[in-house]
Amino acid sequence: EVQLLESGGGLVQPGGSLRLSCATSGFTFSSSAMSWVRQAPGKGLEWVSAFSGIGEITHYADSVQGRSAISRDISTNTLYLQMSSLRVEDTAVYYCAMRGSGKWYFDYWGQGTLVTVSS
Amino acid sequence: EIVLTQSPGTLSLSPGERATLSCRASQSISDYLAWYQQKSGRAPRLLIYDGSSRATGIPARFSGSGSGTDFTLTISSLEPEDFAVYYCQQRSNWPITFGQGTRLEIK
């Protein structure tokens, strides 16, 4: 069974940094494509970043480009999102999501972790 | 960036009725479109991919159609558990984008 479990969210001041983690199990992490999707309170879904399994190609939304870095640790089957220079508008629930086939749709999702950027 | 515009913003229907949700892309995306259902406080669930293919375990009352710029999600006969927010998502070009959502509420 595929499991995705996010952690690392919390309250951070504007300009601060945070690293989100997504612990995974139930599939071959090293060859899987993963992504982060966020949802601001009461708002819709916003794709944030993607990491292709093979080739390790990364993609970022313009809203986080230059402030975020997606990475993974194959030894622990964990996906990360390092976020810096955080802004109030980065406040959201951050979901880890997995591409289930060879196409960029999200078949599996974690439960999300809340990041609140506030002074 | 490809913009996806969903309509209506809110749809009020009764159980047993047919629901028709629309998603329009700002440029052609072939059939590279998915639909998700999200219930309050929960993660989204993939319903439809590649415009019309149902994801694993999705009931047959959910169907998708369309290609190019205009897409439709149809729920043939609403069940009480179908009242939720629905999003479309395109994978044609980076960045991946989502529509703003349609809220399906009980009338």
Side-chain angles (χ1 to χ4, degrees), chain A residues 35 37 39 43-47 50 59-62 95 102-107 109-111, chain B residues 31-34 36 38 42-46 49-51 87 89 91 94-96 98-100:
Chain A
S35 201
V37 178
Q39 186 168 36
K43 303 297 184 182
L45 301 171
E46 180 189 15
W47 171 79
H59 299 272
Y60 298 94
D62 287 347
Y95 293 102
K103 305 173 183 180
W104 277 107
Y105 304 120
F106 305 114
D107 297 64
W109 298 70
Q111 87 292 343
Chain B
D31 62 353
Y32 300 150
L33 187 103
Y36 298 85
Q38 187 180 33
R42 303 287 298 275
R45 178 174 69 146
L46 178 66
Y49 65 95
D50 285 348
Y87 295 95
Q89 174 239 319
R91 69 169 186 94
W94 294 100
I96 289 170
F98 289 89
Q100 83 280 15

Side-chain angles (χ1 to χ4, degrees), chain A residues 17-99:
Chain A
S17 299
L18 207 58
R19 189 178 78 162
L20 305 182
S21 300
C22 175
T24 75
S25 62
F27 61 99
T28 306
F29 180 70
S30 60
S31 59
S32 296
M34 306 289 298
S35 201
W36 290 95
V37 178
R38 69 184 181 183
Q39 186 168 36
K43 303 297 184 182
L45 301 171
E46 180 189 15
W47 171 79
V48 173
S49 183
F51 190 106
S52 67
I54 299 174
E56 300 192 353
I57 299 171
T58 59
H59 299 272
Y60 298 94
D62 287 347
S63 58
V64 302
Q65 179 78 49
R67 302 187 296 120
S68 297
I70 189 171
S71 63
R72 69 180 183 180
D73 184 339
I74 293 175
S75 68
T76 61
N77 292 339
T78 304
L79 180 74
Y80 298 103
L81 183 67
Q82 178 72 48
M83 306 179 67
S84 59
S85 301
L86 283 162
R87 306 167 181 168
V88 171
E89 54 265 35
D90 293 319
T91 294
V93 172
Y94 285 72
Y95 293 102
C96 169
M98 187 183 87
R99 190 182 80 179

Side-chain angles (χ1 to χ4, degrees), chain B residues 37 45-48 53-64 73-77 79 81-82:
Chain B
Q37 176 193 68
R45 178 174 69 146
L46 178 66
L47 300 174
I48 301 287
S53 297
R54 270 191 302 277
T56 302
I58 301 304
R61 64 180 182 274
F62 291 92
S63 63
L73 174 69
T74 301
I75 310 172
S76 59
S77 179
E79 297 288 341
E81 62 267 28
D82 298 337

